[in-house]
Amino acid sequence: MTAPHTAAARTPPPGLAGLDPAWSRLVRVPLTDGVGRTWHLLDNGVTDATLTLLCVHGNPSWSYLFRNLVARAPAGVRVIAVDHLEMGFSERSGRVRRLATRVDDLCELTDEMGITGPVVTVAHDWGGPISLGWAQRHRELVSGIVLLNTAVSQPDDAHVPPLISA
C-alpha cells in the first residue's frame, strides 16, 4: 500500500478581491499527525492585541469567508482566520479528519502560535462544533463565542437531517 498523496500548503494567488496578501501566513505545527502539518491562515498581525478573534470556517469553505472581518477589525483586535487541514490553502495529508481530530488540530495550531486571551471564536457552519471543542479546552482564554449557521442547536420540533443530528 502506498502512502496517500500529500499536497503542500501554499498561499492564495494574488488578486483575490478583498484579500490583502500581507494577511496570508503559513504555520507549521510539528506535532500534528506525528509528522507535522502546515496550515494556511489569514492574520492581520496585530501585536499586543487587546482581543483576538479566532475565525473557524465550515465545509466547504476557507478563510477567505472572513476577509471582511480581517479588513475591518478595530485597532488592537487581532483576527486569525484558519484554513482547516485538507481545505483552503492548508496542507492536504489525505487523512480523514473527523470532529475530534479537527478540534485537536485547532488546539495544536493555537498552542503553536502562542494564542493568549481574551479570545472570541467566530465560527460558521461545521466550524461551530470545532470552535466549541476548542473553547471547551481553552475556557481560560475565551471571552465570547459567535456561531453563524452552525445547526448546533435546533428547536425541538425542527426537522433535522440525520447526518446533522448525529
Side-chain angles (χ1 to χ4, degrees):
M1 176 190 248
T2 59
H5 172 73
T6 59
R10 58 205 191 285
T11 58
L16 289 173
L19 185 65
D20 183 339
W23 302 331
S24 193
R25 182 173 168 200
L26 298 177
V27 177
R28 181 87 175 156
V29 181
L31 298 178
T32 305
D33 296 342
V35 296
R37 299 288 179 204
T38 303
W39 290 67
H40 171 263
L41 52 91
L42 302 179
D43 183 349
N44 65 355
V46 171
T47 56
D48 299 322
T50 58
L51 178 71
T52 298
L53 302 180
L54 178 60
C55 303
V56 185
H57 68 79
N59 184 24
S61 188
W62 60 296
S63 59
Y64 187 70
L65 175 71
F66 296 105
R67 68 193 177 281
N68 291 326
L69 188 56
V70 178
R72 292 181 174 93
V77 175
R78 184 178 185 186
V79 180
I80 299 168
V82 303
D83 283 350
H84 297 293
L85 294 173
E86 320 301 334
M87 297 182 186
F89 289 91
S90 286
E91 185 175 345
R92 302 318 196 251
S93 69
R95 179 178 177 201
V96 173
R97 306 191 101 75
R98 305 213 186 281
L99 176 59
T101 303
R102 292 208 179 274
V103 171
D104 290 344
D105 291 346
L106 186 59
C107 290
E108 291 169 0
L109 172 67
T110 59
D111 290 349
E112 180 65 25
M113 293 178 69
I115 302 297
T116 60
V119 174
V120 172
T121 61
V122 181
H124 175 256
D125 188 62
W126 179 231
I130 296 167
S131 71
L132 290 173
W134 181 90
Q136 187 174 33
R137 294 187 195 175
H138 294 85
R139 292 178 187 196
E140 73 285 357
L141 301 179
V142 176
S143 66
I145 295 172
V146 178
L147 300 174
L148 307 164
N149 193 32
T150 64
V152 169
S153 178
Q154 296 290 323
D156 291 338
D157 61 346
H159 170 73
V160 180
L163 183 59
I164 291 174
S165 67

